[in-house]
């Protein structure tokens, strides 16, 4: 439990320190610094508590990393609302589409190593997979378009049959074709390179490309190139239903998804999350997610030149006056200035990680529900929490 230092405590400390002959000016500098830091921590906890109550979320977690590398982590609410078990800092949650940034980071490394060309047609790397020709636009899509979401590929998860099949066979282990076949009979959203439409299908193809070029399993590649070198100890590949320290995720999704209200029962998720793969594919603490935001947007895994491509809106990526998309990242206009980041969703969980380039602050927020009261977005939630900082 974080505690604030109140005025009465300051007075008592002051008297004690006088007896020790410490100079008052130095003492007040030290105590004032401690007071401000404690006040900030109390405010973050209070803001997080208030948001969870306001939006009727079961629980949530929040982490922040300052410019100097200091990190603070917070949790509130319940991991199990029925049993009244508290959310804690050790709980991990599925981070959804934030996982796309791991795939993007690995692909950028392969580009910088000369093993992949962004301007090359994707199909040229996977000519042996003839069944890919059933995907719309496939012959015209470049690697760059996949990263930018400008390929025109439809979202395979918008085929209701996928969710019916998941419900009927929750333990299924999914192959490339198993996932992508749900997009075979769907129309292209637009011609390749002539528009923007967010699609998980793009990143499934990026995962295929990574495995074809490296000759390794995708999760092994990410672990070797990203997770192990950067010392992520609380990030797990979502490859099994019994992910450790997973809280209950609560779902209010429409009937289209065919999902239960409680997505975790006795520690097991409602279906095999391996289905998501490079469309997301990870579970993490907010502590690790905030660290990943700091590393990703300070160009640790790749060059500054690559980072500029990531955070510069692509030709079709200006979505509104408030948000745009570069090449593996959203660019948001937040209440506190420009922010780079990504959101994530899987049934029962929502996440966001953000980096504020002007302040060099990284944050992450997660909640164990996919719907909640009110119209606040996750970005708005973080904006509200950060009022104490800005």
């Amino acid at each position: 439990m974080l505690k604030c230092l109140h005025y009465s405590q300051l007075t008592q400390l002051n008297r004690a320190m006088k007896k020790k002959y410490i100079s008052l000016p130095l003492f007040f500098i030290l105590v004032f610094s401690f007071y401000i830091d404690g006040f900030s921590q109390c405010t973050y906890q209070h803001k997080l508590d208030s948001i969870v109550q306001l939006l009727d979320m079961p629980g949530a977690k929040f982490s922040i990393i300052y410019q100097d590398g200091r990190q603070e982590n917070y949790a509130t609410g319940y991991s199990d609302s029925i049993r009244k078990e508290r959310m804690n800092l050790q709980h991990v949650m599925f981070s959804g589409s934030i996982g796309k940034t791991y795939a993007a980071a690995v692909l950028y490394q392969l580009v910088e190593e000369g093993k992949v060309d962004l301007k090359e047609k994707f199909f040229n790397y996977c000519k042996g997979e003839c069944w890919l020709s059933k995907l719309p636009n496939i012959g015209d899509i470049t690697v760059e378009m996949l990263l930018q979401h400008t390929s025109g590929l439809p979202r395979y998860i918008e085929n209701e049959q996928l969710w019916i099949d998941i419900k009927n066979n929750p333990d299924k282990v999914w192959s490339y074709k198993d996932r992508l076949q749900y997009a075979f009979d769907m129309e292209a959203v637009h011609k390749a390179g002539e528009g923007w439409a967010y699609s998980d299908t793009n990143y499934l193809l990026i995962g295929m490309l990574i495995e074809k070029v490296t000759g390794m399993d995708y999760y092994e590649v990410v672990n070797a190139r990203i997770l192990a070198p950067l010392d992520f100890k609380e990030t797990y590949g979502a490859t099994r239903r019994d992910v450790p320290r997973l809280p209950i995720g609560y779902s209010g999704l429409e009937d289209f998804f065919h999902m239960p209200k409680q997505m975790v029962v006795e520690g097991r998720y409602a279906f095999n999350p391996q289905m998501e793969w490079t469309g997301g594919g990870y579970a993490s603490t907010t502590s690790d997610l905030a660290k990943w935001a700091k590393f990703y947007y300070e160009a640790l895994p790749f060059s500054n030149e690559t980072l500029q491509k990531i955070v510069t809106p692509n030709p079709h990526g200006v979505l509104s006056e408030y948000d745009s998309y570069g090449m593996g990242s959203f660019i948001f206009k937040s209440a506190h200035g420009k922010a780079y980041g990504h959101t994530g969703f899987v049934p029962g969980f929502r996440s966001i990680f953000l980096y504020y380039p002007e302040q060099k602050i990284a944050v992450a927020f997660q909640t164990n529900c996919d719907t909640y009261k009110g119209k606040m977005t996750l970005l708005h939630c973080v904006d509200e929490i950060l009022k104490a900082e800005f």
Side-chain angles (χ1 to χ4, degrees):
M1 176 88 58
L2 292 166
K3 295 182 179 180
C4 296
L5 196 62
H6 296 289
Y7 179 77
S8 60
Q9 295 172 296
L10 284 172
T11 303
Q12 293 172 5
L13 277 173
N14 186 21
R15 290 171 181 166
M17 295 300 281
K18 278 183 179 180
K19 294 179 181 179
K20 296 293 183 181
Y21 305 105
I22 292 180
S23 65
L24 284 175
L26 174 60
F27 168 73
F28 276 116
I29 289 172
L30 292 173
V31 172
F32 183 72
S33 175
F34 178 69
Y35 176 78
I36 292 299
D37 185 54
F39 177 78
S40 177
Q41 291 178 344
C42 286
T43 303
Y44 286 147
Q45 186 68 59
H46 174 71
K47 288 286 189 181
L48 184 61
D49 294 344
S50 298
I51 285 172
V52 166
Q53 292 175 11
L54 175 67
L55 302 182
D56 197 23
M57 294 173 170
K61 295 176 63 180
F62 173 76
S63 292
I64 181 169
I65 303 178
Y66 299 96
Q67 181 175 355
D68 62 7
R70 289 181 299 118
Q71 181 164 5
E72 296 171 6
N73 307 300
Y74 303 88
T76 192
Y78 297 105
S79 63
D80 184 331
S81 297
I82 304 300
R83 297 177 181 177
K84 301 301 180 184
E85 295 176 357
R86 302 294 300 183
M87 184 75 75
N88 63 50
L89 298 181
Q90 286 69 50
H91 279 114
V92 304
M93 298 187 225
F94 292 118
S95 55
S97 289
I98 294 175
K100 290 180 172 70
T101 58
Y102 297 115
V106 168
L107 189 57
Y108 295 135
Q109 290 180 347
L110 296 175
V111 169
E112 292 183 353
E113 293 165 11
K115 297 175 181 176
V116 174
D117 183 348
L118 290 177
K119 302 298 183 181
E120 183 66 71
K121 297 291 178 61
F122 164 79
F123 195 63
N124 290 339
Y125 290 100
C126 299
K127 289 181 177 178
E129 308 287 352
C130 297
W131 55 269
L132 283 170
S133 61
K134 297 180 181 180
L135 289 173
N137 289 354
I138 192 65
D140 300 319
I141 297 169
T142 65
V143 175
E144 185 176 57
M145 291 176 195
L146 298 176
L147 287 163
Q148 294 175 334
H149 290 297
T150 58
S151 69
L153 285 169
R155 299 187 74 176
Y156 80 106
I157 64 170
E158 292 183 351
N159 186 330
E160 186 177 3
Q161 187 60 47
L162 167 69
W163 299 102
I164 294 172
D165 293 344
I166 287 173
K167 180 181 179 181
N168 291 337
N169 188 2
D171 290 309
K172 179 181 175 67
V173 177
W174 298 74
S175 68
Y176 300 152
K177 189 175 181 180
D178 287 339
R179 301 177 181 96
L180 291 168
Q181 66 180 341
Y182 294 96
F184 286 171
D185 297 325
M186 300 174 74
E187 296 291 329
V189 183
H190 54 74
K191 291 183 179 180
E194 296 186 13
W196 188 90
Y198 186 89
S199 177
D200 306 82
T201 312
N202 290 316
Y203 277 73
L204 295 185
L205 296 185
I206 286 173
M208 286 186 64
L209 176 56
I210 289 171
E211 291 196 341
K212 295 290 184 183
V213 171
T214 64
M216 296 173 61
D217 173 79
Y218 169 72
Y219 285 103
E220 293 178 359
V221 176
V222 173
N223 187 65
R225 287 177 171 263
I226 305 294
L227 302 183
L230 298 180
D231 198 30
F232 286 106
K233 298 186 182 300
E234 298 176 328
T235 299
Y236 307 93
T239 59
R240 47 192 268 194
R241 294 179 64 183
D242 57 339
V243 173
R245 304 195 307 279
L246 188 69
I248 292 177
Y250 297 92
S251 182
L253 295 175
E254 57 198 57
D255 293 342
F256 173 89
F257 289 95
H258 299 270
M259 290 291 107
K261 300 300 181 184
Q262 185 172 311
M263 292 298 300
V264 180
V265 177
E266 300 300 327
R268 284 172 61 81
Y269 193 57
F271 63 90
N272 186 359
Q274 180 261 356
M275 181 279 296
E276 188 187 31
W277 197 44
T278 47
Y282 282 88
S284 179
T285 59
T286 53
S287 174
D288 264 13
L289 279 184
K291 284 192 288 187
W292 177 231
K294 187 83 166 165
F295 293 150
Y296 189 68
Y297 293 109
E298 291 185 356
L300 195 60
F302 35 70
S303 67
N304 281 314
E305 181 182 358
T306 292
L307 177 62
Q308 292 312 305
K309 294 178 181 177
I310 292 172
V311 299
T312 300
N314 71 64
H316 300 284
V318 178
L319 312 178
S320 74
E321 64 174 305
Y322 300 106
D323 59 343
S324 55
Y325 195 87
M327 203 166 71
S329 176
F330 286 95
I331 303 99
F332 298 110
K333 181 181 178 182
S334 79
H336 309 298
K338 182 184 291 186
Y340 307 139
H342 214 292
T343 56
F345 152 81
V346 296
F349 299 91
R350 286 193 182 272
S351 305
I352 187 171
F353 83 160
L354 294 164
Y355 180 79
Y356 296 81
E358 295 177 4
Q359 299 86 3
K360 294 183 171 57
I361 287 174
V363 301
F365 176 89
Q366 290 184 291
T367 181
N368 56 329
C369 63
D370 53 38
T371 56
Y372 47 83
K373 291 197 307 187
K375 297 183 179 180
M376 284 181 70
T377 66
L378 295 186
L379 177 61
H380 293 148
C381 291
V382 173
D383 278 345
E384 184 65 23
I385 294 170
L386 287 179
K387 282 183 177 179
E389 178 65 24
F390 293 107

